[in-house]
Amino acid sequence: GAGQRLSPAYSSLFFYRTLEPALRDLTQPLIDHAEGQLFLNEAFKIIVEEVLHKGTDAEEKVCEWREPESLALLLDLQLRDTGESQGRLLQRVRNVAKYSIKTSHPHFFNQQFGGVDYHSLAGRFLTEALNTNLFTYEVAPVFVLMETEVLKALRQLVGWTDGDGIFCPGGSTSNMYAMNLARYKLFPEVKTKGLWALPRLAIFSSPGSHYSVQKGASYLGFGTDSVVLVKVDDGGRMIPEDLDAKIELAKSQGFVPLLVSCTSGTTVLGSFDPLDCIADVCDKHQLWMHVDAAWGGSVLFSKQHRHLMKGVERAKSVSWNPHKMLLAGLQCSAFLLQDTTNLLKRCNCANASYLFQQDKFYDVNLDIGDKSVQCSRKVDCLKLWLMWKAVGSTGLEHRVDKAFLHVRYLLEQMKKRDGFQLVSTPEFVNVCFWFIPPSLRGKEGNADYQDKLAKVAPVIKERMMKEGTMMVGYQPLGDLGNFFRVTVFSPHICHKDMDFFLDEIERLGKCL
Amino acid sequence: GAGQRLSPAYSSLFFYRTLEPALRDLTQPLIDHAEGQLFLNEAFKIIVEEVLHKGTDAEEKVCEWREPESLALLLDLQLRDTGESQGRLLQRVRNVAKYSIKTSHPHFFNQQFGGVDYHSLAGRFLTEALNTNLFTYEVAPVFVLMETEVLKALRQLVGWTDGDGIFCPGGSTSNMYAMNLARYKLFPEVKTKGLWALPRLAIFSSPGSHYSVQKGASYLGFGTDSVVLVKVDDGGRMIPEDLDAKIELAKSQGFVPLLVSCTSGTTVLGSFDPLDCIADVCDKHQLWMHVDAAWGGSVLFSKQHRHLMKGVERAKSVSWNPHKMLLAGLQCSAFLLQDTTNLLKRCNCANASYLFQQDKFYDVNLDIGDKSVQCSRKVDCLKLWLMWKAVGSTGLEHRVDKAFLHVRYLLEQMKKRDGFQLVSTPEFVNVCFWFIPPSLRGKEGNADYQDKLAKVAPVIKERMMKEGTMMVGYQPLGDLGNFFRVTVFSPHICHKDMDFFLDEIERLGKCL
């Protein structure tokens, strides 16, 4: 037979004799499923109890603060040669839960994610158990079709009947896809020849845009000097006239203007750039208009609030993170594309023949993996799909509308209290404010007022973390000293939680 | 009070009156935890039954093949306005499981991932429930410390007592990090000025290296022409003398040689580049040596097999995917770095003041998020940590050693049968072979032999998929026509499964 071509390579496996007999026994697999499933059952119970039950109880802590050294000691993180008992491991599961931040707690206001949707979570457990890699129809039949359908539904909300897209590991990556596609569209030779073969390019964005525009410019080889910051109005919205002027200026300096990265829902203020007017400028100069709606995109579900993104249908691409306001769970970031010419695949494909064979027995257009700059790619669509099936577009619309109602309530309550001063007029569900402690009230004229005010938020933050009662972020912005940013979107909260929020800021800051 | 600065913005929320009364009620949250947890419980049972119990049973199918149109119809993927009943949703969970590929099945040999480790899976469920975003110590205290510890343990296996690193969403991203760092190290001005300010750079790799080297070259702005392919020997290993020559040639053509991307465990053949000899060449020319050990890195756990990566400690960076051979679950990809000068952070940081405030009450060096080119970043370390704690380094070593034993057994059995012809001598756990059907045996001299042989694998593959009995990949390589590549690393298999594999290839291919 053809067997003679078998080489003696594996006869060099002399180590065989040195191995333990149990390992040499090829009649038994190394992993016992029954025992493993027992462990998983017990771990599941602990997860439900610690993370989902206690972790969402307003009476429990958001945070069990420990200093890093003491936490490291407590967790005994070191990895060793020998394994541990199941009981010890279950205690580890409990400890990890205990000392982690409870991001689904009603008093977690720290970031633009958080909250638990149980249908999404079931989808995430299923995703993990299936452990599917989203390359091809052959290995991911359900998810190739599902991702396509979810992207289509998201595109319809943008206002596109056709197009393309992909799920990315986060909004930064989605924004980088836009930059990469824009330059490939204009200069396809960049794929082979690199940026050296191209004129210097310019990317336009606002100072309030997400830092991934800067990171992307650096990572993709443009350099951060390629990013031109356009002026914003009092509400943090890009000024189209200044965009036009900056584009002209860049041209006069020898740059080729490539792309405008607009923002729908800036990170700090929650501002929405005026997309329709920006689209006019993009049309005029033939620029790629990208909308970073990672945070704000969810308003598209709301008949009442989608006007904030009027003009989005004129964009060439949109980033939208359902893991933020919609609670789809990390990571869930859609990159949506108006293009119907297979630009995404043409730009990113490498045609690896071990994966994307062309002689398959089904339509190889279903092998969507080559659209990605990744190879292994996690399934991020199932959780969103299952949640969407569970509550419908209307249920998601309600979450968005309710978030605006919560903000309205919070603003009304702030107005009734002393010491809460807004940084700007909220347009979305970010409420940015200074808390003026009693000792600083009426002292606005003092020379050291701003310095003293800027020190208030960090102290209140430290106190709330150490007591573990709630979490909210603060930051400076341009010339403005530290102020709090509370993002009010969790469907877990009710008016009591917002009252608590304000009471707690007052309590922690009153003696400052 | 300061309240007078509250603007009337939210009085423009006239939509309030149009909302349903239930939505206007702010005394109740939108999500009912008890009801949600009930659903999750039921879903969990289905997942255990369908994916973990039936899905790992050798008597059940790996694949329930459906044509795309019929599967789409069956799954009813469309997203609608209204939600669905809990019963209907549980049926959807069951259907998604049923029609998905069972990647933990003992007869899933299709790719370099697959298999279920129950401790890892418990860690993944906990990760999902906690929904932590790995930016800062404040929001991810446990995982900042844990990621640091896991990276340290991986680096120790590489042979480094100090260094840096980060978990990335896949090996492609890890490889791209290396390219980005190498150019920043040599030309820090690239971060602000872009590639235009740099001489043309060259990257060296082998034809068997992963396609992410090409994708990265394109994505990061180098262009694929920057990638110089170095000749390989019969076993698919990079030839150091040719590397040296290619570097000299590139220099003479005006390129600045930047980086060599070596591979430990190539995708198709499983070849290991000779790292020590390549390191000599890198030293000579002062190039950044990167080792893509996404697939092969796990041999470092094995005293018997780590010689395959001799010299890895001389690399500047290593990519290693524990989601492959070690069963950590997708995604789990470590990028390891020898550097101790904070190069990773200096290269990637954007210093976003809303996230990485410098006036925090703890050591801000713990805010590791700015090392990443992502912003939102999923926790990928917990699953690996928990699995490692459970079985210890020794348990992981056994998995690696056993995989080699399985390959040895498979090769012995192939030798005993007619029709199995190796493509090359296996160095790792990839076994590449042609199946010669009876009708082609002894016809090697015929003019159409190669053409006919190349058509065998696709037909056998189609048959096995449609019957759902097992999955294994095939591909051409260079001049070689389609051959099968079976990756034998699953700790779920025993000798019966390998016998089944060979029987099944024979059964499906005998009449060809």
Side-chain angles (χ1 to χ4, degrees):
Chain A
Q4 77 280 1
R5 292 252 323 243
L6 261 173
S7 85
Y10 267 77
S11 61
S12 71
L13 288 171
F14 291 126
F15 79 96
Y16 184 73
R17 283 184 295 269
T18 72
L19 291 176
E20 299 169 26
L23 205 60
R24 286 158 60 178
D25 173 11
L26 298 189
T27 66
Q28 291 301 323
L30 270 181
I31 289 180
D32 185 304
H33 288 286
E35 194 185 297
Q37 287 166 24
L38 218 62
F39 180 83
L40 192 66
N41 258 309
E42 294 306 309
F44 177 75
K45 283 184 213 158
I46 294 170
I47 292 168
V48 171
E49 185 190 326
E50 292 289 330
V51 184
L52 303 175
H53 194 69
K54 279 172 64 180
T56 59
D57 182 348
E59 303 300 312
E60 300 276 345
K61 287 183 173 186
V62 178
C63 166
E64 275 287 340
W65 174 261
R66 288 295 182 278
E67 296 296 332
E69 301 71 23
S70 113
L71 182 58
L73 215 63
L74 216 153
L75 293 171
D76 173 37
L77 293 164
Q78 206 196 328
L79 296 160
R80 307 195 176 83
D81 283 347
T82 50
E84 298 182 348
S85 73
Q86 304 303 294
R88 181 89 186 90
L89 294 165
L90 290 172
Q91 185 55 46
R92 292 195 176 280
V93 168
R94 202 178 286 277
N95 271 348
V96 167
K98 180 172 176 187
Y99 295 104
S100 288
I101 301 299
K102 306 305 181 299
T103 63
S104 300
H105 192 285
H107 302 156
F108 178 81
F109 300 101
N110 210 59
Q111 257 110 7
Q112 294 152 306
F113 68 96
V116 56
D117 176 284
Y118 290 93
H119 297 101
S120 160
L121 190 56
R124 292 148 76 189
F125 284 8
L126 180 54
T127 301
E128 295 299 325
L130 285 168
N131 201 35
T132 308
N133 210 333
L134 196 36
F135 319 115
T136 59
Y137 185 76
E138 151 189 341
V139 81
V142 172
F143 302 122
V144 162
L145 299 176
M146 189 182 282
E147 180 167 285
T148 305
E149 190 68 28
V150 174
L151 290 169
K152 185 175 132 195
L154 292 172
R155 279 198 309 267
Q156 279 171 346
L157 289 165
V158 167
W160 298 333
T161 50
D162 205 347
D164 203 348
I166 193 164
F167 277 88
C168 292
S172 297
T173 304
S174 296
N175 290 339
M176 293 179 200
Y177 266 61
M179 296 181 192
N180 187 37
L181 282 176
R183 73 181 177 192
Y184 176 77
K185 173 95 196 250
L186 202 56
F187 300 102
E189 64 271 30
V190 70
K191 184 170 178 175
T192 49
K193 296 187 177 149
L195 284 171
W196 291 285
L198 273 54
R200 292 216 48 170
L201 304 171
I203 290 164
F204 301 84
S205 197
S206 82
S209 69
H210 189 256
Y211 70 75
S212 54
V213 178
Q214 303 287 336
K215 286 209 179 193
S218 160
Y219 193 54
L220 272 60
F222 295 102
T224 51
D225 290 352
S226 299
V227 181
V228 179
L229 295 184
V230 178
K231 283 186 195 150
V232 292
D233 67 17
D234 283 350
R237 293 169 291 257
M238 193 188 282
I239 300 173
E241 294 74 19
D242 190 58
L243 171 63
D244 190 37
K246 291 271 164 57
I247 292 172
E248 293 291 1
L249 182 66
K251 283 182 179 173
S252 75
Q253 293 168 335
F255 286 87
V256 172
L258 178 68
L259 165 142
V260 181
S261 190
C262 320
T263 316
S264 289
T266 59
T267 313
V268 177
L269 298 177
S271 313
F272 285 76
D273 286 338
L275 301 182
D276 243 338
C277 302
I278 294 173
D280 291 340
V281 180
C282 289
D283 283 351
K284 178 180 160 191
H285 298 280
Q286 300 272 298
L287 266 66
W288 182 292
M289 175 170 159
H290 171 66
V291 178
D292 175 359
W295 173 224
S298 303
V299 301
L300 293 173
F301 274 101
S302 165
K303 286 181 279 295
Q304 298 291 346
H305 300 292
R306 59 170 295 136
H307 68 86
L308 287 165
M309 289 181 67
K310 191 167 172 295
V312 65
E313 71 285 354
R314 298 174 65 189
K316 292 262 186 292
S317 57
V318 174
S319 304
W320 178 356
N321 290 9
H323 71 225
K324 292 192 159 77
M325 194 165 185
L326 297 180
L327 275 70
L330 285 163
Q331 56 198 41
C332 190
S333 175
F335 175 67
L336 307 171
L337 203 54
Q338 200 190 34
D339 171 80
T340 54
T341 68
N342 219 10
L343 183 71
L344 187 57
K345 188 165 178 185
R346 285 185 286 124
C347 177
N348 289 336
C349 72
N351 303 308
S353 59
Y354 76 91
L355 201 51
F356 305 113
Q357 305 92 318
Q358 296 302 299
D359 53 5
K360 287 184 177 175
F361 64 95
Y362 60 82
D363 177 4
V364 292
N365 286 315
L366 291 165
D367 289 354
I368 57 178
D370 220 12
K371 292 184 179 183
S372 174
V373 299
Q374 304 181 261
C375 173
S376 285
R377 189 161 65 93
K378 214 177 149 56
V379 171
D380 294 328
C381 58
L382 169 59
K383 50 197 169 189
L384 175 57
W385 179 81
L386 196 62
M387 176 174 84
W388 198 332
K389 280 285 191 190
V391 300
S393 305
T394 306
L396 297 175
E397 177 175 27
H398 284 176
R399 286 191 194 167
V400 175
D401 287 347
K402 189 123 191 180
F404 278 85
L405 289 180
H406 282 151
V407 170
R408 177 196 167 103
Y409 177 85
L410 186 69
L411 293 175
E412 282 168 358
Q413 299 306 310
M414 287 171 93
K415 213 167 177 173
K416 289 181 189 160
R417 301 182 186 224
D418 285 339
F420 291 89
Q421 183 179 323
L422 287 184
V423 172
S424 72
T425 303
E427 200 176 2
F428 191 35
V429 297
N430 306 34
V431 178
C432 292
F433 68 92
W434 287 283
F435 176 70
I436 324 277
S439 68
L440 281 179
R441 291 179 199 162
K443 307 267 173 68
E444 291 84 352
N446 292 10
D448 59 354
Y449 177 81
Q450 293 300 339
D451 282 350
K452 284 188 168 167
L453 183 57
K455 293 199 173 85
V456 169
V459 175
I460 294 181
K461 175 80 181 223
E462 176 172 1
R463 291 178 180 176
M464 77 174 73
M465 290 291 292
K466 289 189 170 168
E467 295 192 27
T469 49
M470 70 178 192
M471 281 179 70
V472 61
Y474 73 84
Q475 64 282 300
L477 186 70
D479 298 336
L480 305 174
N482 284 321
F483 54 86
F484 287 110
R485 178 202 61 170
V486 55
T487 55
V488 186
F489 66 96
S490 169
H492 300 310
I493 60 171
C494 59
H495 71 97
K496 285 202 310 275
D497 301 303
M498 287 174 284
D499 296 341
F500 175 87
F501 176 82
L502 297 173
D503 289 346
E504 194 65 3
I505 294 278
E506 282 179 353
R507 182 180 75 81
L508 295 166
K510 67 170 179 256
C511 60
L512 288 176
Chain B
Q4 77 279 1
R5 294 249 328 240
L6 264 172
S7 86
Y10 266 75
S11 62
S12 71
L13 289 173
F14 291 123
F15 78 97
Y16 184 74
R17 282 184 295 268
T18 71
L19 292 176
E20 296 168 29
L23 206 58
R24 285 159 59 178
D25 174 12
L26 299 189
T27 66
Q28 291 301 323
L30 271 180
I31 288 180
D32 186 305
H33 287 287
E35 195 185 296
Q37 287 165 25
L38 219 63
F39 179 83
L40 192 66
N41 258 307
E42 294 306 308
F44 177 75
K45 285 183 211 158
I46 295 170
I47 291 168
V48 171
E49 184 189 327
E50 292 289 329
V51 184
L52 303 175
H53 193 71
K54 277 172 64 180
T56 58
D57 181 349
E59 302 301 311
E60 300 276 344
K61 288 184 173 184
V62 178
C63 166
E64 274 288 340
W65 174 260
R66 290 293 183 281
E67 296 295 331
E69 302 71 24
S70 112
L71 182 57
L73 215 63
L74 218 153
L75 293 172
D76 174 36
L77 293 164
Q78 205 195 331
L79 296 160
R80 306 193 177 84
D81 283 346
T82 50
E84 296 182 348
S85 73
Q86 305 303 295
R88 180 93 186 85
L89 293 165
L90 289 172
Q91 186 54 47
R92 292 193 176 281
V93 168
R94 201 177 286 277
N95 270 349
V96 168
K98 179 172 178 186
Y99 295 104
S100 288
I101 302 299
K102 305 306 181 298
T103 62
S104 301
H105 193 285
H107 303 156
F108 178 81
F109 301 99
N110 210 59
Q111 257 110 6
Q112 295 151 306
F113 69 97
V116 57
D117 176 284
Y118 290 94
H119 297 102
S120 162
L121 190 56
R124 293 148 77 188
F125 283 9
L126 180 54
T127 301
E128 295 299 325
L130 286 168
N131 201 38
T132 306
N133 209 330
L134 197 35
F135 316 119
T136 59
Y137 185 75
E138 152 190 339
V139 82
V142 172
F143 301 122
V144 162
L145 299 177
M146 188 181 283
E147 180 168 283
T148 305
E149 190 69 27
V150 175
L151 290 169
K152 186 176 132 196
L154 292 171
R155 278 198 310 267
Q156 279 170 346
L157 289 164
V158 168
W160 298 333
T161 51
D162 204 349
D164 203 349
I166 195 164
F167 276 89
C168 293
S172 297
T173 304
S174 295
N175 290 340
M176 293 180 201
Y177 266 61
M179 297 183 192
N180 187 37
L181 282 177
R183 73 180 176 193
Y184 175 76
K185 174 94 195 256
L186 202 57
F187 301 102
E189 65 270 31
V190 69
K191 185 169 177 175
T192 50
K193 296 188 176 146
L195 285 171
W196 291 286
L198 272 55
R200 292 216 49 171
L201 304 170
I203 291 163
F204 301 83
S205 198
S206 82
S209 69
H210 189 255
Y211 70 76
S212 53
V213 177
Q214 304 288 336
K215 286 209 178 192
S218 160
Y219 192 52
L220 271 57
F222 296 101
T224 51
D225 289 352
S226 300
V227 181
V228 178
L229 295 183
V230 179
K231 281 187 197 151
V232 292
D233 66 17
D234 282 351
R237 293 170 292 255
M238 192 187 285
I239 300 173
E241 294 73 21
D242 190 59
L243 171 63
D244 190 39
K246 289 270 164 61
I247 291 173
E248 293 290 1
L249 182 65
K251 282 182 179 174
S252 75
Q253 291 168 337
F255 286 88
V256 172
L258 179 68
L259 166 143
V260 180
S261 191
C262 319
T263 314
S264 289
T266 60
T267 313
V268 176
L269 298 178
S271 314
F272 285 75
D273 286 338
L275 301 182
D276 244 339
C277 303
I278 293 173
D280 291 340
V281 180
C282 288
D283 283 350
K284 175 179 164 192
H285 298 281
Q286 300 271 297
L287 265 66
W288 182 291
M289 174 169 160
H290 172 67
V291 177
D292 176 359
W295 173 223
S298 302
V299 299
L300 293 174
F301 274 101
S302 165
K303 287 182 278 296
Q304 298 290 346
H305 300 292
R306 57 169 296 136
H307 68 87
L308 287 165
M309 288 180 67
K310 191 166 171 299
V312 64
E313 70 285 354
R314 298 174 65 188
K316 291 262 187 292
S317 56
V318 174
S319 304
W320 179 356
N321 289 6
H323 71 224
K324 293 192 158 77
M325 194 166 183
L326 297 181
L327 276 69
L330 285 163
Q331 56 197 46
C332 191
S333 175
F335 174 67
L336 306 172
L337 201 54
Q338 201 191 34
D339 172 80
T340 54
T341 68
N342 219 10
L343 183 72
L344 187 56
K345 188 165 175 183
R346 286 185 286 124
C347 178
N348 289 337
C349 73
N351 302 310
S353 58
Y354 77 90
L355 201 50
F356 305 112
Q357 305 93 319
Q358 295 303 300
D359 53 6
K360 286 183 177 176
F361 64 96
Y362 60 83
D363 177 4
V364 293
N365 286 317
L366 291 164
D367 290 354
I368 56 177
D370 220 10
K371 291 183 182 183
S372 172
V373 299
Q374 304 182 262
C375 175
S376 285
R377 188 160 67 91
K378 214 175 149 58
V379 171
D380 294 328
C381 58
L382 169 59
K383 50 197 170 192
L384 175 57
W385 179 81
L386 195 63
M387 176 174 84
W388 199 333
K389 279 285 190 191
V391 299
S393 305
T394 306
L396 297 176
E397 178 175 25
H398 285 176
R399 286 193 193 166
V400 174
D401 287 347
K402 188 125 192 177
F404 279 84
L405 289 181
H406 283 151
V407 170
R408 177 194 165 103
Y409 177 86
L410 186 69
L411 293 175
E412 282 168 0
Q413 298 307 311
M414 286 171 93
K415 214 166 176 175
K416 291 181 188 161
R417 299 180 186 228
D418 285 338
F420 292 89
Q421 183 179 324
L422 287 184
V423 172
S424 71
T425 303
E427 199 175 3
F428 191 34
V429 297
N430 306 33
V431 178
C432 292
F433 68 93
W434 287 282
F435 177 71
I436 324 277
S439 68
L440 282 179
R441 292 179 199 163
K443 307 268 175 67
E444 291 82 354
N446 291 10
D448 60 355
Y449 177 81
Q450 294 299 339
D451 284 349
K452 282 189 171 166
L453 183 57
K455 293 199 174 84
V456 170
V459 175
I460 294 181
K461 173 82 180 218
E462 175 172 1
R463 289 177 182 176
M464 77 175 72
M465 290 291 293
K466 289 188 170 166
E467 294 192 29
T469 50
M470 71 178 191
M471 282 178 70
V472 61
Y474 72 85
Q475 64 283 300
L477 185 73
D479 297 337
L480 304 173
N482 285 319
F483 54 88
F484 287 110
R485 177 203 60 171
V486 55
T487 55
V488 186
F489 65 97
S490 171
H492 300 310
I493 60 173
C494 59
H495 71 98
K496 285 202 310 271
D497 301 304
M498 288 174 285
D499 295 341
F500 176 87
F501 176 82
L502 297 173
D503 288 346
E504 193 66 5
I505 294 278
E506 282 178 352
R507 183 182 73 83
L508 295 166
K510 67 171 180 253
C511 60
L512 287 177

